Amino acid sequence: MAELIYWIKERYKVKQAKESGFPRPWSLDKVFQATYFCNVHREDDKVTVGIRQKFDPMYMEVATQNMIMARVVNKLESLFRLGFPWTTFSPPMWSAVMSRQGAWGSAYIVSTNGRAMPKHEYIGGLLQALWGQKDPVANATTLAQAHTALTGLQGLGSFMSAQVIADLKNTKGHHLQDALDWRSWCAHGPGSLRGMAWVNGVERVTPKEFYHCMPHLHEEVTERLSGSGIPDIHAQDLQNCLCEFDKYMRVSTGSGRSKRMYNGA
């Protein structure tokens, strides 16, 4: 637990130092100097900031479709070339941009689910079908309901659906901003399961154990960060912190490595 609180405070300190224009290193921790970590608050990450700047409330009726497209692409340069956000799906524009080498972001795994076809064609087909139907989360009053609706769509698993929900619940004017479980709901990913295992001092944690522990962990983290100056961390942010914390622990203990390096020294 102490290491998790340390990671949260140190990552937030790095963000503040960098934004204030201080020179490198922004941390004396060698792992922070050489390893890429997402922010404590997901809304502060580069792609999320770019999505917020580009998305306009006039596209609210197709916000879900646009956020799904934004997250499967997950690269601002490609989203800008696509002319994000869209009113309707444009196959020619999609193919022209997303068939290029390097068009896809690397943070999330997006595949053809075993289909022997180019990724842009497979994902493009899914998005085109999505744009032709009603907003799947239109009737959801909780994030849990929205998650169930999104995971029912072809090509969207639990983890990616949760990323889309995080975007929607923080979109000004979207009805999920008023979800009853806005602060308390999250969906686990493989990294956050490992992060929870580090916190609990065990080899592994099952999804059932994760959801049992999460409310207690969330409450304790909130209490320990009280008065630290770090803005409130909702459950989805904490889930993301656990994923990044797993990366920190694997690198710092020499039991693993990070795929994304960082020049923070």
Side-chain angles (χ1 to χ4, degrees):
M1 185 59 158
E3 285 90 344
L4 174 62
I5 297 299
Y6 164 76
W7 183 89
I8 292 172
K9 289 182 175 180
E10 192 70 8
R11 181 62 186 89
Y12 192 74
K13 186 184 79 173
V14 168
K15 171 186 175 293
Q16 289 185 305
K18 185 177 180 181
E19 291 180 348
S20 297
F22 291 117
R24 295 182 178 92
W26 298 301
S27 171
L28 298 179
D29 189 317
K30 297 295 183 182
V31 179
F32 274 93
Q33 290 179 12
T35 310
Y36 179 90
F37 292 111
C38 293
N39 280 284
V40 171
H41 302 93
R42 185 177 177 278
E43 286 294 295
D44 292 329
D45 286 337
K46 177 183 175 181
V47 175
T48 306
V49 171
I51 290 172
R52 291 279 168 258
Q53 291 174 344
K54 297 295 288 185
F55 187 78
D56 191 288
M58 67 177 289
Y59 296 89
M60 195 63 72
E61 288 189 5
V62 284
T64 301
Q65 292 88 330
N66 273 291
M67 293 308 175
I68 291 174
M69 180 172 74
R71 284 306 167 183
V72 295
V73 172
N74 210 53
K75 189 169 185 175
L76 291 181
E77 294 81 358
S78 295
L79 287 173
F80 295 160
R81 291 193 185 102
L82 286 167
F84 170 87
W86 286 5
T87 302
T88 188
F89 190 76
S90 172
M93 176 66 79
W94 173 264
S95 181
V97 174
M98 298 312 297
S99 62
R100 297 180 181 183
Q101 186 176 2
W104 303 85
S106 59
Y108 304 140
I109 297 175
V110 179
S111 71
T112 62
N113 290 320
R115 304 277 184 91
M117 60 190 300
K119 182 161 70 172
H120 75 275
E121 291 183 8
Y122 175 75
I123 301 299
L126 297 181
L127 290 173
Q128 187 172 8
L130 181 61
W131 245 277
Q133 58 186 270
K134 181 183 176 182
D135 181 354
V137 306
N139 297 323
T141 58
T142 66
L143 303 187
Q145 291 173 355
H147 190 252
T148 298
L150 289 179
T151 53
L153 300 174
Q154 184 180 353
L156 274 189
S158 174
F159 180 79
M160 189 62 76
S161 295
Q163 302 308 309
V164 173
I165 288 171
D167 288 323
L168 293 175
K169 81 175 193 179
N170 286 296
T171 296
K172 189 175 181 180
H174 195 275
H175 71 276
L176 288 182
Q177 276 195 308
D178 299 321
L180 298 176
D181 54 355
W182 189 95
R183 188 174 183 274
S184 62
W185 181 88
C186 71
H188 77 274
S192 57
L193 289 180
R194 294 191 299 267
M196 185 69 82
W198 282 110
V199 172
N200 290 346
V202 296
E203 186 173 342
R204 64 186 295 272
V205 165
T206 66
K208 182 178 180 179
E209 291 168 336
F210 177 89
Y211 291 119
H212 174 75
C213 293
M214 192 62 175
H216 307 288
L217 178 65
H218 191 196
E219 182 178 353
E220 186 166 355
V221 167
T222 300
E223 182 178 341
R224 292 202 184 197
L225 292 178
S226 178
S228 67
I230 299 176
D232 182 58
I233 298 175
H234 56 65
Q236 282 194 285
D237 278 339
L238 181 55
Q239 184 275 149
N240 188 60
C241 285
L242 285 171
C243 184
E244 300 301 290
F245 175 61
D246 165 61
K247 191 192 308 180
Y248 175 81
M249 292 301 292
R250 285 188 286 114
V251 174
S252 62
T253 61
S255 59
R257 63 184 183 86
S258 172
K259 295 179 181 178
R260 300 182 69 181
M261 306 310 292
Y262 187 68
N263 182 19

